[in-house]
Amino acid sequence: DARHNPGRKIVWTDAYVDPAGGGWMVSAIGPVYSADRLEGVVGIDVTVDTIVNQILRLELPWNGYAMLIGRDGTILALPPRGERDLGLRELKDHHYQDAIRANTFKPEQFNIGKRKDLRPLMEAIGNDRHGVTRITLSGREFLAATAPVDGPGWHLVVLAPASGILADATALRDQLQTVGKAMLAILLVF
């Protein structure tokens, strides 16, 4: 209504268990006005599985993968490689009887703001800009590129092992050092 949504914009929900049995989902809800009178509310539900499948289809270089982070820092979509790196298991089982009695949202371990190991990533997202951050997961260093998603206020995060991304630069540096040493040796002989 006008008191809760004076801008009359579409509002996106956080991920929740659908009490009707649709699994984990998010909803986009928008008011319908006739002049200044609220006539109704329209919306669309999108299952998190649909979002995960779209993200899984992304083919990224350097053995990278993408994940989707909600406004509050909750991981909305995470592919299997991300599950291993973050020590999580995507929630696919639901108890619908509990979902009918109360709102059911993802647990705290899916919130990157509440995990020490992901605090640098949360800070990067908090800046609400495009950027790259170094983080350590499961003892490996990763580069995380972040970008806001217009509309729902989510963030797309692309993670890739730093060793894979920097491998070409490291190989080039090693070649240049070898050439430099050879040139110095030739100069000394000359």
Side-chain angles (χ1 to χ4, degrees), residues 65-70 73-75 78 86 110-129 131-137 142-147 155-160:
Y65 57 89
M67 63 182 186
L68 196 61
I69 308 293
T74 299
I75 299 169
L78 183 67
L86 297 175
F110 280 83
N111 190 311
I112 64 171
K114 298 186 179 181
R115 291 184 51 163
K116 243 183 198 178
D117 59 336
L118 297 175
R119 195 158 289 140
L121 184 57
M122 187 63 187
E123 289 170 5
I125 287 173
N127 293 335
D128 207 27
R129 60 172 173 75
V132 177
T133 304
R134 286 181 182 257
I135 62 171
T136 302
L137 300 172
F142 285 80
L143 293 179
T146 63
H155 283 81
L156 181 65
V157 176
V158 176
L159 289 164

Side-chain angles (χ1 to χ4, degrees), residues 46-91:
V46 181
T47 65
V48 170
D49 271 347
T50 301
I51 297 169
V52 169
N53 290 337
Q54 290 288 51
I55 288 178
L56 288 175
R57 285 190 196 126
L58 293 175
E59 292 186 27
L60 301 171
W62 303 301
N63 203 22
Y65 57 89
M67 63 182 186
L68 196 61
I69 308 293
R71 289 183 306 270
D72 65 346
T74 299
I75 299 169
L76 299 176
L78 183 67
R81 274 185 291 172
E83 290 177 10
R84 285 189 301 274
D85 290 337
L86 297 175
L88 294 173
R89 188 174 166 108
E90 189 61 83
L91 303 173

Side-chain angles (χ1 to χ4, degrees), residues 1-187:
D1 61 17
R3 190 175 89 218
H4 294 98
N5 187 0
R8 299 180 181 185
K9 296 183 179 184
I10 293 174
V11 175
W12 285 83
T13 67
D14 294 323
Y16 63 94
V17 174
D18 176 26
W24 285 94
M25 64 178 40
V26 293
S27 300
I29 304 163
V32 177
Y33 282 88
S34 172
D36 281 336
R37 182 178 163 182
L38 178 65
E39 297 290 338
V41 178
V42 297
I44 185 169
D45 296 330
V46 181
T47 65
V48 170
D49 271 347
T50 301
I51 297 169
V52 169
N53 290 337
Q54 290 288 51
I55 288 178
L56 288 175
R57 285 190 196 126
L58 293 175
E59 292 186 27
L60 301 171
W62 303 301
N63 203 22
Y65 57 89
M67 63 182 186
L68 196 61
I69 308 293
R71 289 183 306 270
D72 65 346
T74 299
I75 299 169
L76 299 176
L78 183 67
R81 274 185 291 172
E83 290 177 10
R84 285 189 301 274
D85 290 337
L86 297 175
L88 294 173
R89 188 174 166 108
E90 189 61 83
L91 303 173
K92 299 199 189 267
D93 298 325
H94 334 288
H95 301 285
Y96 288 105
Q97 188 170 356
D98 295 337
I100 291 170
R101 291 189 197 131
N103 289 333
T104 305
F105 298 101
K106 284 195 168 184
E108 282 191 2
Q109 65 261 32
F110 280 83
N111 190 311
I112 64 171
K114 298 186 179 181
R115 291 184 51 163
K116 243 183 198 178
D117 59 336
L118 297 175
R119 195 158 289 140
L121 184 57
M122 187 63 187
E123 289 170 5
I125 287 173
N127 293 335
D128 207 27
R129 60 172 173 75
H130 300 273
V132 177
T133 304
R134 286 181 182 257
I135 62 171
T136 302
L137 300 172
S138 304
R140 295 174 38 210
E141 188 174 8
F142 285 80
L143 293 179
T146 63
V149 177
D150 291 334
W154 302 336
H155 283 81
L156 181 65
V157 176
V158 176
L159 289 164
S163 60
I165 294 172
L166 303 175
D168 292 337
T170 302
L172 181 60
R173 183 198 66 208
D174 292 344
Q175 289 173 355
L176 288 174
Q177 283 180 345
T178 303
V179 168
K181 289 176 185 176
M183 288 176 61
L184 181 60
I186 292 170
L187 183 60

